Amino acid sequence: MKQQKFLKLGTTDKILLLTGYIMLGLFVLAIVVPLIYIAAASFMDPNVLNNQGITLDVSKWTTDAYARVLKNEMIWRGFANSIFYAAAFTIISVFVTLLAAYPMSKKDFVGKKLFNTIFIITMFFGGGLIPTYLLINQLHMIDTVWAILLPGAFSVWNMILARTYYQSVPLELREASAVDGASELKHFFAILLPVCKPIIAVLALWQFVGMWNSYFDAMIYLNDADMQPLQLVLRSILIQNTPQPGMIADIQSTAEMSKIAELLKYSTIVVSSLPLLIMYPFFQKYFDSGVMVGSVKG
């Protein structure tokens, strides 16, 4: 059936369609090939990896890197911190965003244009790192979880998406709840939010992934090593090439340390990516509808 439709297309349409398929295939390969390489390299013996490259001979594979990563205390502590930061940030950010978007979706909201202008300005202009750091310091949030959770909790772009999604909900729903005597708060929490599960799931996924991958704020505001997220531990391994001492304590040779450090890079990437890989399928059913409705309605 699809082949018949393709044959009915004109020459120009066929060329465009084939070009699109080729570009899409190259794009998929550009994503999949590095992932496969990293996953395979994380099991490779360092000597084999350096001398022969990737091999499918399972006898030359090893789980030594994962054993070193998983028994390291700093990895587990950073992992727990990252999960806490990402989950708490997601809850705070989505809640604040949904609350701000609701009045902005009302056509009769007094001052809507003024607030909208203020929101838009903040999308293009910011105070910069030094003023932000001074503000965080004056609020006594340095070396506290609030320095990670609060400053970036509100996203204007996410508010616009949520506002647009609200506007796609039929007005009759609010009229029906008003007839039943529901206040604005009751309508928002008991009626509107359950209808908006797709956009809530999308915003939650975006914010969780954003915080999970973030390390800069933690590097600037957190001095206590026990509070640092997994990303700072990975940064020391991937960028600074300095694995945690416990990972290579039993290695004496400098050359062997270098090989193990290279192997640990791949295993830490895999370990840090697992939560996102596990989480994404549960949000997939909401993702497409949430993004599309929140993007084109208005």
Side-chain angles (χ1 to χ4, degrees):
M1 189 68 178
K2 292 183 179 180
Q3 185 176 4
Q4 293 178 353
K5 289 183 179 180
F6 178 78
L7 294 175
K8 292 180 180 179
L9 295 176
T11 304
T12 304
D13 292 334
K14 290 179 180 179
I15 294 174
L16 289 175
L17 188 60
L18 289 174
T19 302
Y21 281 136
I22 293 172
M23 293 181 64
L24 180 61
L26 293 175
F27 182 73
V28 171
L29 286 176
I31 296 175
V32 173
V33 171
L35 291 177
I36 296 176
Y37 179 86
I38 290 173
S42 67
F43 289 99
M44 293 292 299
D45 181 89
N47 294 318
V48 177
L49 181 63
N50 291 334
N51 297 329
Q52 302 179 16
I54 299 297
T55 177
L56 299 179
D57 186 357
V58 181
S59 63
K60 297 181 180 180
W61 288 18
T62 177
T63 58
D64 183 48
Y66 287 100
R68 293 175 183 274
V69 168
L70 295 178
K71 72 180 181 181
N72 183 264
E73 183 180 350
M74 286 300 297
I75 289 287
W76 283 108
R77 185 177 300 156
F79 203 91
N81 288 339
S82 288
I83 290 178
F84 170 75
Y85 293 144
F89 178 80
T90 299
I91 294 172
I92 294 173
S93 178
V94 172
F95 184 70
V96 171
T97 300
L98 293 176
L99 285 179
Y102 182 61
M104 294 298 294
S105 67
K106 298 282 189 178
K107 294 183 179 180
D108 57 350
F109 177 55
V110 178
K112 178 179 179 179
K113 290 185 178 180
L114 174 62
F115 285 110
N116 190 61
T117 302
I118 294 174
F119 285 142
I120 295 298
I121 290 175
T122 62
M123 291 183 68
F124 299 98
F125 302 98
L129 178 59
I130 295 177
T132 303
Y133 182 88
L134 293 176
L135 175 62
I136 299 298
N137 187 44
Q138 290 294 321
L139 293 175
H140 305 289
M141 292 196 302
I142 298 295
D143 244 359
T144 68
V145 297
W146 304 114
I148 307 299
L149 300 180
L150 295 184
F154 181 72
S155 169
V156 178
W157 173 252
N158 289 347
M159 186 276 293
I160 293 175
L161 286 180
R163 179 192 67 185
T164 309
Y165 195 94
Y166 288 154
Q167 292 173 343
S168 69
V169 177
L171 295 176
E172 290 77 10
L173 192 64
R174 175 57 186 138
E175 294 173 359
S177 64
V179 171
D180 293 335
S183 62
E184 288 287 352
L185 284 177
K186 185 174 182 180
H187 170 74
F188 178 77
F189 287 103
I191 299 174
L192 186 61
L193 288 188
V195 175
C196 297
K197 286 182 180 179
I199 194 63
I200 293 175
V202 170
L203 297 181
L205 180 63
W206 283 354
Q207 296 303 83
F208 189 95
V209 172
M211 177 53 67
W212 182 265
N213 292 327
S214 174
Y215 75 92
F216 188 76
D217 287 348
M219 183 177 65
I220 297 297
Y221 301 127
L222 297 181
N223 300 317
D224 187 354
D226 291 338
M227 298 181 62
Q228 292 179 348
L230 177 63
Q231 287 67 31
L232 284 185
V233 180
L234 298 183
R235 180 178 178 271
S236 67
I237 297 174
L238 299 175
I239 298 178
Q240 298 176 341
N241 201 29
T242 54
Q244 296 297 319
M247 294 181 177
I248 55 176
D250 58 326
I251 305 298
Q252 302 300 325
S253 169
T254 303
E256 288 298 319
M257 285 185 180
S258 178
K259 292 178 181 178
I260 291 295
E262 189 69 19
L263 184 60
L264 288 171
K265 289 182 179 182
Y266 299 114
S267 58
T268 50
I269 291 174
V270 174
V271 169
S272 65
S273 301
L274 283 178
L276 302 183
L277 295 176
I278 295 173
M279 175 183 175
Y280 185 79
F282 295 98
F283 288 83
Q284 177 63 36
K285 63 180 180 180
Y286 298 113
F287 191 79
D288 293 337
S289 59
V291 171
M292 292 303 296
V293 176
S295 299
V296 301
K297 297 284 185 179

